[in-house]
Every structure is written in C-alpha cells, then in structure tokens.
Amino acid sequence: MKIGRVFPDLLTPLATADSVAEALAQTLARLVRLAGADAGALAFSPARGAPVVVVEGGRRLPAELRQWLVAAAASRRRGVRLARVRPPGSARGRAAALLSAPLGAPGRPAGTLLLLGRLGRLTPKALPAGFPKELGTAIDLVWHIHRRALRTSVLNELTQLLASGDSLDEVFRAFTEGTSRLIPFDSIAVALLDAERGELEIVDVAARGLPLALRRDGRMALAGTLVAEVVRTAGPVRVDDVERDPVPDASRRVLAPRGYRAALLAPLAAGHGVFGAVTLAAARPGAFDPADTEILAELARPLASAIEQRRLNEEGRRRTDELAALYSTSQLITSRLDLASVLDRISRSVTALIGSTGCGIGLLDRERARLTHVAAHGFESEEWRALSMPVGEGIMGRAAESGLAIRVDDVRADPRSARRDVDEREGIRSMLCVPLKVGGGVIGVISAFSTRPGVFTSHHQRVLEAFGEQAGIAIQNAQLFEESVRRARETRALLEAGRAVSASLDVDRTIRVILDAARGVVGADSCGLATLDPSTGDFVTVASLDLPSAMVKEIRIKVGEGIGGLAVSERRPIQSRDLYTDPRARYPQLARATGFRSMLAAPLRVGERVVGVISVFRTDVHEFSGAEEELLLALADQAAIALEHARLYAELEVRVAERTRELDTQKRFVEVVLETLPLGVFVLDAGLRVVRANREGARALGAPPDARAPFAPLLGAERADAVEAFLRQAFATRRGSALEQETTVAGEVKIFRLTTAPFESSDEEVRHTVVLVEDVTRAKRLERQMLLTERLTTAGRLAAGVAHELNNPLATIAGCAESLQSRLTEGELARSAELADFPHYLRLIEEEAFRCKEITGSLLQFVRDPGSRRAPTDLNALVQKALELLSHQSRFAEARFVTELDPALPLVAVNEGQLRQVFIGLAANALEAMEGRGTLTLRSRVRRGEVEMEFEDEGPGIPDEILGRVFDPFFTTKPPGQGTGLGLAIAQGIVADHAGRLEVTSRVAKGSLFRVVVPL
C-alpha cells in the first residue's frame, strides 16, 4: 500500500524530467524501491513512434538480466500477474518472483510494468488496484505534453533562423532535423516553382545538410504533379497509398519506382502566393495522419519566410552586382585599352553579373564569316576556349547572324546546338547568347552558360543585353588602340633589327632578334629561318623559336618545294591560310604535330642571290594581310645582311682559329699532365697566394681549386708561420728545397712533404714558385709501426721475465697474509681490540697480491692471447673496492668522490681481476689529471642491452690533436720516468677481450670522460 499513498510523488518525475525516457527511469526507480523489488522494467508504447523501455536494478545489474527484462517488458501482458521465474544471471539459478501489469486502459494498453523480487516478499498487493491504469494514463499524458513542447521548440528554432545570417543550406538542415524529430519519414524534398517556365526545381534538402553529400537536385514540369494541386489549393495534400489513391501520373512516376507508398505535401507561401512545397515520403502506407499534416504545415510557414527572405537578399545582392558590373564596364571603356585585359574583365564580369557557370566571347573575323572565341572564363576543356564556327551555325552563330539574343533552357534538347561534343564535355545545359553591337553592327557574341538547365530568365537576358552594348564599345576601343600599338611595334622592330645587324657580328644573336621581332609584329606563334646549303642546294632550317633542335635539323626544302621553296623560287612572300588542307605544304604531318595552321614565308635576298627564307606560323586559320607580308619581307632583308656579314666574319675567323689551334693543343696537353699527376701542384705568386692548383692538391689540403687564398694557412694556423718562412726562403734564394709538416685535414692527422721550385718570368724576376705537395702520411706511419713493433717485441720478452720473477715474491706475500689471518683467529689475538682492523688489512694485502699477479698476466696478455676466467660479477662492488683502495693514498686525500651507481645493475660475466685493474687505472689517471684535487664522478647504468661504467673528472681535458692517440701503446703525455704509455692500451685490450669497448670524450679546460661498455 505504500505505492498508493505516494502515488502523487511518483508522478513528479513525469512532469519535471527533460525527456520521456528520463521520466520513466526516475518513476521506475521509485516503484522498485517502494515495492521492495530487486529490479524492474517499464515499457511505454506511444501511439506514434518507437517504444521506450527502461530498466532499473542498480549499477551492478548483469547485462544478460537487463536484456531479459527488456525482452519481457516488450511482450504484451493481460492483467496483474505474479509468476515464478528463474531469471538469467541469478545466483545458482535461484527462482524469483516476477510481477507484471499492463499500463493504461484495458482496451488501449500504453505499456507494461515488470517488478522482479524475492519469492514471498514480492506479491500482487504491491500494486494497488487501478494503479497500472492511472500510471499508463499519466505516462501517455506526459508523452503528449513532451510532443507539444518539442513541436514548440522546433518551431522556435526555425523562427530564429529568420533573423540569422545562416545560409539556405543551413536552414534546410535545421528544417530537416526539426521535422524528423516530429514526423517519421523516409525522404524529404523542397520543390520551388519556376512560374516563367511552368517547372519545378527539386531541392535535395537532406543532401544539402551534409558537408560531402552528393546533391541530387533536378527539375520537372509542374503540370500533373501533387505540387500543382498544392499550388492550386494553397493547402496541404496527403496521400495514404500511392498505389490505391488517385495520384497524378508525374508524381506517381517519381514516388512508386523509389518504393514510396505515402506522401505528405505542405505549401510554401509568401505575400505573392504559393511558390513551392515541402514533400515528405514514406515506404509504409498510411504513414502520415492529420496531426502530421498540421505539424508540417506549421513548420513550412517559417521555412517559406526564410526562403523568401534569402531570395530577397540574394535579389538585392544580385542587383547590386549588376550595377557594379555595369559601372565597372563603363569605367573599362575609358581606363583600359589592353584588348586581352578588356576581354578577360568582360568575361569574368558576366559570370558575376548573372551567376553563370562560365562565359565565352567570340569575335567575327575580318571577312565576318566566322565567329572565334578570343576569351573564356569558367571552362573545363581547351576546345571551348578555342571554339570557332561559321556565322549562322549553332546557337552562337545564329545570334551573330540575326543580331538577336538567344536563350536556351536545355542545350541537349535544342536542335540548333552545333558542337554537342563540346557541350557534353563542359556539362553545358542552359545558354544565353547576346550579340555585341557597335554603331548598329555586330562585332561578336557574348555566350553565358550554366551546367544546370533553365538557369537564365528574361531578366538575365535584359541585363546581359545592356551589358553587351557597353562591352562592345570597350572592345572596339581596345581594338583600335591595339592597332596603333601594333604599328608602333612594327616600326620599333625594324629599327631594332637594323641596329642588331650593324652593331653585332654574332649571327645567332642577330637572327634571334629578327625572329623575335617577326613573331611579335606579325602576331605569330612561332618563327623559323632556313639557309642555303651550298653542297646540296637545299634550304636547311637553322633556327626556330619553338621547335626542338633535333627536329629543326631534319627540316630541308628544295627550291620550288613547299611554301618556303615557292617563296625562294618566286622571290616574294608566299602564304598558306590552312596547312592542314593546303596541297603545297611540304611537311603536313609536322604542322599537325605542332598545331600550326597558317604560314607566311619570305625570301632572304642578297643582290640577285637568295641565301635563305624566313617563315612565321600561327596556330589558327589565318590569312596574312599585305602589310604583314611587307613587314616580314623587310625583316628578311635585314636577316640576309646579317648572314652575309656572318659569312665574311667566319672566313676571317677560320684563319685566326688555325693559328691558335696549335697553342690551344699545347696548353691542353700541359693541363692534362698537371691534372693527372699523383702529386699536389700549387702555383704561388710573390704574395704566397695560390694562383693555380691541380685536382690532387685541392683534394689533399681540402682547398677549392680556384680559390686565390694564402697557401700557408692551408696547412694549419699553428704551422702557418713556419711554412711561410720556408716559402719566402725559396723566393729569396731562387733555389728549391723540401720541408715535412704534420697537420690536421678534415679531422685526420697527415704528414706532407713540401718541395718548392721557383721560376723566373720574362723580366728575370722570380714572381712565382711551384710547390709540390706529397702526402707521406702512410709511409711515416709504416715507419713508426715498424719501430713500435720492435719495442713491443722487446716488451714481450721483458714481460715474461718480470712475471716469473714477481710471481714468487707475490705468492710469498699472499701466503704470509693468509697465515697471519689464521693466527688472528686463535686465542687471545682473536679477542684483542687493538688487532680488530688487522684482518681487514690482511685481506686487502692478500687481494692486492693476487691482483698484482693478474697484472703481470695482463702484461703478458698484451703480447699473446691470455685467455680469461669469467664469472658473474657485481661491477658496482668493483668500483667501490677501487675507490676504497685509492682513497687511502695520501696524494689523493684532497679529492672528492661522487658515485651515481644504478642499484639495479645486473651481474655481468667478466674477469673480476682484469676489470678491477681497468677501473683502478682509469680512476687513478683521472685523479692524477686533477693533481689529487677536484671531483671524480663514477656512474653505472644499463642502456640498450649493455652496461656502461663512466669515470668523469674535472681535469684540464685532452687536446683534439692527441685525443685519437691516447690508446696507442707507449704513448704518454707524462714527464719521463712517470709513465710507460701502456695503461690505457692494456685497459682497452682487456675491455675488447670482453667484447666491449672503451670510449673517451674530452673538452679542454672542462675535463674528460672515459666510458667502459660491456655487453650483458
């Protein structure tokens, strides 16, 4: 009865929760607690929409039990019933009580309530009579309240978009999302009315709400559609079943193939009437009811306002752009006279003016027989850019012929289209062609196109016609200005060609100037020149502005053959309007390969002789004017003079070349000899600067061959003074001499032998000397190695004798130490406090005696393979023992020891005595370098499968020039009698025998670091 007493409190979450699911969950949680149940489930099945099922049982409710409750709640129940069940996930399959009750009125159940608890504890009395009915009624009421609140929320969101600056796509997205929250549907679209054409523009609303979705917008006729019915009645239209209800054929053909059975349409209306409709479609028959119709009609009103508002804004912006484009064109008439810039500006302005995809401007040729594109914008293929067609052919040709604008809604369905292949590649669907007129005559056509059908309206046509009048004037002014500029350019080109002929004997440069001038003033795309080959009588192409040199050499013509040969034989300019169809063309395949269509050739005349022919080419079909022929002939005469000058100059040049050839041969021979010498050869001037160096010399000293740098510093700054004195002595004595110097090149120590050979110039003064640089590093090293080998052999013999002589006294010392240790453990001596430290010192004596014995073995190992006895060893302990031994020496009393040892350092299989010898030697060297003062830091760590032991001091460091020799046997920097030079060499040998390495890094005045690396 608890539930009956608190029933009003149970309904509180239903009224305050943010969602139906949250309200049901809170209500169920209270019911489970009040009924004394362990878990429960509550299922609500609204009249429209998906069922809502919630489960309660705490956070630890097993997933399988949760799924079982959801499935049980989804099944229909009759009356309040208590059943004995074994729910999944219960301990040991223990039975439980399941109390179930349908919610709401008996004839119209709103859902199901399940309570799961212990047997005997959960009874039917837990639910008061009438409670399930009242609870179902309350839940259904709350669901309707939430639906009304959601409807109001969606309507407010759409209304807020009216004042926002969001795009129309954002509005469509918000409308789609809001509608889907209120009405279930499978498809949504917006149809906008095009009253001028009697068509509908179908907007794929769902695709516009997704960033990368493929839009499937389209157009269809208005007549015979459901939208036409909406426009006629200005009210919504609902179709419950497309297959059974009367539906216009056009709409049936759209809905039925896609599997849609139900449709709902709501009008989009503004002050001027209905201008479109929102369409919802569903695959289920009868998917929409009157409530859906009311909701969609209500949501369509703010959508219509948003569309109309943005249409008005777009109309305002478009009219502003139209005025700006018209104003810009009027400015262009007076401010810009460059024809290419004017044409480009006009084509781009058209796109901005009427919103077309692209635009082309075609101008009539001189005969007014063909229309050729001279500017284009927004095109995809080059064919549209270079489109050309006869007047009267195609849509553009008919506009040029009639002088009237032509507007085409769908190019694919218009029979007047002449180049459908180009239209298909560009994706052109609609087109607007407006003639360009000046003084009542047509000079060309502006062609705007769009990739969507039916884009252009009568308004666009009127705007483009007004724009075309101004554009025609701008183009004509630019053409007149270009003509005046062309004439000035022709005059300047003739002057430059004459100046080049008279000012230079470089025939190639002169010909290049003439070819550039010919191409520029004639307006050609390429230009070439052929000269007479006296041996064959053919004319061979020797220069071209565009063709590859390999192709140029293959072009040969005979007198009277081809366009150029005819110009030679007739001694006058000859032209071809179209090389593709002209039977006189000598190389038609070359013309097609290069794209050249028209050609003009003029002979190069010297007196009565023809010495060559100059030709210009264009990539279009073109007929050259008489002025162009005269201009090219004048340039040909200049080229002929240049060739004649070149011939005379070449004859003189041959004589000079013969006389200098022998000198060049001798000079090259000497240079080859110098460059191939295995010695470095340097030529120095009196200032001891390098005048010339061969390849080997530059390589040996690391100096650039052409650098005029002082020679002495190349051998190192510290030896520059000695080398400079040696070289100046050679200049002073005028005799050669030799000097050996050791220097560092690229970080490597090398020994060079310098040999000087001064020589006198014509005035008997020594102005230069030859320096031979020979790298004798290898020879010196071999000599040093032989001496070292002899010293090592002697050391080996001494080591064997010393080891034998030392082993006996060391054995005696060790034995005595061992005997004394045993004596100290007997009787009164073992209890004597004065002798407490003696066992420790005796063990040190014994250990050091054995270590001395191992040292003698290491000395022998330096000259023969010693073998080793290795066992797992704690290297940290070895370091500590080494420090303990050194810390007792008075000479190191002022030193400070810092240990940074890794406590987790693993044991390593090494020879303990040998490694102790290495550690003591490295630590002692570091302390001696610091003169017994300073800090010695010892570190240990594991890195990349290796153990590293570091000894870092604060000594003076090791200079770079001797750092590479510290491990050499017998090399030492200590005073005589204080070092043998074997310590580091023996240490390196021990570490290498353990498959490790001994590394060193040092910085002068900072200190040195020695690192022992052994593998695990």
Side-chain angles (χ1 to χ4, degrees):
M1 299 300 294
K2 294 181 180 179
I3 295 178
R5 290 195 300 269
V6 298
F7 180 74
D9 293 338
L10 288 173
L11 299 182
T12 301
L14 295 177
T16 59
D18 293 335
S19 65
V20 175
E22 182 180 350
L24 295 180
Q26 296 178 9
T27 301
L28 178 60
R30 295 190 178 189
L31 279 173
V32 170
R33 185 173 62 256
L34 292 174
D38 297 326
L42 181 59
F44 171 61
S45 301
R48 297 180 60 80
V52 181
V53 181
V54 296
V55 177
E56 175 60 33
R59 296 181 179 179
R60 298 184 178 180
L61 188 65
E64 54 184 344
L65 179 56
R66 183 180 296 273
Q67 295 175 358
W68 181 79
L69 287 172
V70 171
S75 61
R76 292 200 170 188
R77 306 284 175 171
R78 294 185 178 180
V80 179
R81 293 188 179 184
L82 182 66
R84 179 187 179 93
V85 296
R86 294 184 183 275
S90 61
R92 301 179 182 177
R94 183 180 299 171
L98 180 66
L99 181 61
S100 62
L103 302 178
R108 297 181 59 188
T112 302
L113 172 65
L114 297 180
L115 296 174
L116 182 66
R118 298 179 183 178
L119 290 172
R121 182 177 177 182
L122 184 63
T123 66
K125 295 181 179 180
L127 298 177
F131 174 76
K133 176 182 177 181
E134 295 176 5
L135 179 61
T137 302
I139 292 175
D140 189 63
L141 179 61
V142 169
W143 181 78
H144 281 89
I145 293 174
H146 273 276
R147 293 287 293 176
R148 283 196 294 272
L150 179 61
R151 177 174 172 181
T152 303
S153 174
V154 171
L155 192 61
N156 289 337
E157 291 176 2
L158 293 178
T159 304
Q160 290 175 359
L161 289 176
L162 291 176
S164 70
D166 294 340
S167 66
L168 194 57
D169 287 347
E170 290 293 325
V171 174
F172 284 148
R173 182 189 61 78
F175 178 78
T176 303
E177 292 179 356
T179 304
S180 64
R181 292 160 62 188
L182 297 172
I183 305 173
F185 58 85
D186 297 323
S187 176
I188 183 172
V190 171
L192 300 179
L193 178 63
D194 185 349
E196 182 179 350
R197 297 181 175 85
E199 293 181 346
L200 296 174
E201 180 185 359
I202 310 300
V203 180
D204 189 356
V205 177
R208 288 175 179 263
L210 300 174
L212 300 177
L214 179 63
R215 298 182 181 181
R216 299 179 178 177
D217 299 346
R219 298 182 70 89
M220 64 181 298
L222 173 65
T225 63
L226 290 172
V227 179
E229 183 66 16
V230 173
V231 173
R232 185 181 65 81
T233 62
V237 173
R238 189 177 89 242
V239 178
D240 293 332
D241 194 340
V242 173
E243 295 183 359
R244 298 180 181 179
D245 294 348
V247 177
D249 292 340
S251 295
R252 190 187 302 276
R253 287 193 298 271
V254 173
L255 297 171
R258 294 171 172 79
Y260 298 138
R261 296 287 297 276
L264 179 61
L265 291 84
L268 296 171
H272 53 80
V274 177
F275 64 85
V278 179
T279 303
L280 302 182
R284 181 173 61 85
F288 308 111
D289 59 12
D292 296 334
T293 304
E294 180 184 350
I295 292 173
L296 185 62
E298 187 175 17
L299 297 180
R301 283 192 285 273
L303 176 63
S305 299
I307 294 175
E308 181 66 12
Q309 182 187 56
R310 281 153 181 78
R311 186 190 66 79
L312 293 175
N313 292 340
E314 181 64 26
E315 180 72 16
R317 283 194 298 269
R318 185 170 57 80
R319 292 188 178 275
T320 301
D321 292 341
E322 291 173 359
L323 293 175
L326 291 172
Y327 177 72
S328 174
T329 305
S330 64
Q331 284 188 321
L332 196 63
I333 295 174
T334 56
S335 64
R336 300 298 298 271
L337 293 175
D338 175 27
L339 181 60
S341 299
V342 170
L343 293 172
D344 181 71
R345 182 73 175 274
I346 291 174
S347 65
R348 294 179 182 276
S349 298
V350 169
T351 303
L353 184 65
I354 61 176
S356 61
T357 304
C359 170
I361 300 178
L363 297 181
L364 295 174
D365 60 5
R366 189 179 293 106
E367 291 76 21
R368 305 181 61 81
R370 294 189 68 83
L371 184 71
T372 303
H373 269 171
V374 293
H377 175 67
F379 60 90
E380 295 289 340
S381 65
E382 195 61 30
E383 291 179 332
W384 169 262
R385 171 68 179 81
L387 191 63
S388 177
M389 61 180 60
V391 174
E393 183 177 316
I395 300 173
M396 293 182 288
R398 292 173 185 266
E401 182 182 44
S402 63
L404 301 175
I406 298 178
R407 177 160 49 99
V408 178
D409 290 337
D410 192 347
V411 173
R412 297 178 182 176
D414 196 305
R416 294 173 294 182
S417 177
R419 295 296 303 275
R420 293 191 181 275
D421 55 337
V422 177
D423 296 341
E424 289 294 331
R425 277 191 286 275
E426 290 291 332
I428 298 175
R429 294 298 303 274
S430 53
M431 181 175 286
L432 175 59
C433 298
V434 172
L436 293 168
K437 297 181 179 180
V438 176
V442 176
I443 64 171
V445 174
I446 295 180
S447 304
F449 68 86
S450 175
T451 55
R452 294 184 295 122
V455 169
F456 304 113
T457 64
S458 57
H459 172 75
H460 293 139
Q461 180 176 329
R462 289 192 298 271
V463 171
L464 193 57
E465 286 176 336
F467 179 81
E469 293 178 0
Q470 299 185 30
I473 297 173
I475 292 173
Q476 186 184 47
N477 288 345
Q479 287 176 330
L480 294 174
F481 176 75
E482 192 174 68
E483 178 68 18
S484 63
V485 169
R486 185 183 64 81
R487 293 187 179 277
R489 188 170 59 246
E490 292 174 356
T491 303
R492 186 169 56 253
L494 290 174
L495 291 175
E496 289 179 355
R499 189 181 299 112
V501 171
S502 58
S504 174
L505 291 176
D506 185 353
V507 66
D508 292 334
R509 177 182 175 278
T510 303
I511 293 300
R512 173 66 63 172
V513 171
I514 293 174
L515 292 181
D516 286 334
R519 179 171 63 179
V521 299
V522 181
D525 297 300
S526 184
C527 186
L529 187 140
T531 60
L532 177 64
D533 183 357
S535 61
T536 62
D538 296 340
F539 285 84
V540 182
T541 302
V542 295
S544 174
L545 295 182
D546 299 286
L547 295 181
S549 57
M551 183 182 296
V552 167
K553 296 177 180 179
E554 297 179 359
I555 303 175
R556 306 175 69 93
I557 59 174
K558 297 183 180 298
V559 177
E561 182 181 65
I563 306 301
L566 289 174
V568 171
S569 62
E570 299 183 16
R571 297 172 58 83
R572 65 179 181 86
I574 301 294
Q575 65 170 290
S576 173
R577 185 175 181 274
D578 189 351
L579 292 172
Y580 289 6
T581 59
D582 195 332
R584 300 174 300 171
R586 175 65 180 83
Y587 294 100
Q589 72 279 7
L590 180 60
R592 294 184 181 276
T594 57
F596 297 144
R597 294 293 298 269
S598 52
M599 172 182 178
L600 173 63
L604 275 63
R605 301 170 297 186
V606 177
E608 297 297 324
R609 295 182 297 115
V610 176
V611 297
V613 60
I614 186 172
S615 305
V616 293
F617 304 88
R618 291 175 60 106
T619 56
D620 58 344
V621 177
H622 177 74
E623 184 173 345
F624 295 92
S625 64
E628 291 171 334
E629 290 182 351
E630 293 178 2
L631 180 62
L632 185 61
L633 190 59
L635 290 173
D637 292 340
Q638 298 288 349
I641 297 173
L643 290 176
E644 184 65 14
H645 286 178
R647 184 184 65 80
L648 297 175
Y649 178 74
E651 292 178 356
L652 178 62
E653 200 171 39
V654 168
R655 298 174 186 172
V656 176
E658 290 176 353
R659 295 186 179 183
T660 57
R661 189 176 297 114
E662 293 182 2
L663 294 176
D664 291 340
T665 302
Q666 293 178 1
K667 179 181 177 182
R668 285 194 297 270
F669 176 76
V670 173
E671 290 178 347
V672 168
V673 170
L674 290 176
E675 290 298 327
T676 55
L677 276 176
L679 301 177
V681 180
F682 289 84
V683 178
L684 310 183
D685 59 15
L688 305 185
R689 301 178 66 86
V690 178
V691 177
R692 178 73 180 273
N694 68 345
R695 188 184 303 110
E696 179 62 22
R699 185 198 63 78
L701 298 185
D706 54 349
R708 296 183 61 87
F711 177 79
L714 296 179
L715 293 165
E718 67 280 1
R719 293 171 176 80
D721 293 340
V723 174
E724 184 174 344
F726 166 72
L727 296 174
R728 293 200 180 278
Q729 182 182 6
F731 275 95
T733 61
R734 299 191 179 189
R735 289 199 302 265
S737 57
L739 174 68
E740 291 186 359
Q741 282 289 339
E742 182 180 285
T743 186
T744 302
V745 178
E748 183 180 357
V749 178
K750 291 189 175 184
I751 302 174
F752 294 104
R753 179 181 291 120
L754 308 181
T755 305
T756 59
F759 59 92
E760 299 178 351
S761 59
S762 58
D763 55 0
E764 297 183 356
E765 288 189 12
V766 178
R767 300 182 183 274
H768 296 87
T769 183
V770 175
V771 180
L772 301 181
V773 179
E774 182 181 3
D775 187 352
V776 296
T777 306
R778 187 169 179 271
K780 292 296 182 180
R781 286 180 179 174
L782 290 176
E783 180 181 344
R784 186 184 301 166
Q785 190 66 32
M786 290 176 63
L787 294 175
L788 180 61
T789 302
E790 184 177 349
R791 293 175 67 186
L792 288 176
T793 302
T794 304
R797 295 194 187 101
L798 290 174
V802 171
H804 177 72
E805 293 298 329
L806 289 180
N807 279 342
N808 291 333
L810 289 174
T812 302
I813 293 172
C816 292
E818 183 178 0
S819 177
L820 288 174
Q821 289 184 60
S822 61
R823 289 281 302 278
L824 289 175
T825 60
E826 300 174 357
E828 294 282 337
L829 296 177
R831 293 187 295 274
S832 175
E834 292 82 357
L835 302 178
D837 294 336
F838 276 39
H840 172 68
Y841 292 134
L842 288 173
R843 281 195 300 272
L844 282 178
I845 292 172
E846 183 182 9
E847 290 177 0
E848 292 306 311
F850 282 113
R851 190 172 70 83
C852 289
K853 191 174 182 180
E854 289 182 358
I855 290 174
T856 60
S858 298
L859 192 59
L860 290 172
Q861 187 183 28
F862 191 70
V863 294
R864 58 183 175 88
D865 185 11
S868 63
R869 299 180 304 280
R870 300 177 185 176
T873 304
D874 185 357
L875 298 187
N876 286 344
L878 282 184
V879 170
Q880 295 287 4
K881 289 181 180 180
L883 291 182
E884 183 179 1
L885 180 61
L886 293 173
S887 63
H888 291 292
Q889 299 185 25
S890 60
R891 56 181 179 149
F892 302 142
E894 297 182 15
R896 191 168 69 94
F897 300 91
V898 177
T899 56
E900 299 176 2
L901 305 179
D902 184 0
L905 196 72
L907 299 180
V908 183
V910 298
N911 185 303
E912 181 177 350
Q914 290 180 338
L915 262 294
R916 183 188 300 146
Q917 176 185 348
V918 172
F919 292 168
I920 291 175
L922 293 177
N925 285 347
L927 292 170
E928 290 174 356
M930 296 187 295
E931 297 180 354
R933 296 183 295 274
T935 301
L936 174 61
T937 304
L938 298 96
R939 305 184 185 90
S940 67
R941 59 175 170 265
V942 177
R943 179 178 294 175
R944 294 189 290 273
E946 296 177 325
V947 174
E948 295 183 356
M949 310 295 295
E950 291 184 350
F951 299 78
E952 184 176 6
D953 62 56
E954 297 178 344
I958 305 172
D960 292 340
E961 58 268 18
I962 66 173
L963 186 62
R965 302 180 58 190
V966 295
F967 295 114
D968 291 349
F970 302 109
F971 177 79
T972 180
T973 58
K974 298 178 180 178
Q978 296 186 18
T980 63
L982 288 174
L984 289 178
I986 293 175
Q988 187 184 46
I990 291 173
V991 175
D993 188 53
H994 284 75
R997 59 187 183 276
L998 181 57
E999 302 173 346
V1000 60
T1001 57
S1002 181
R1003 289 190 299 170
V1004 176
K1006 296 293 184 179
S1008 303
L1009 185 147
F1010 283 82
R1011 182 182 297 109
V1012 178
V1013 183
V1014 292
L1016 286 173

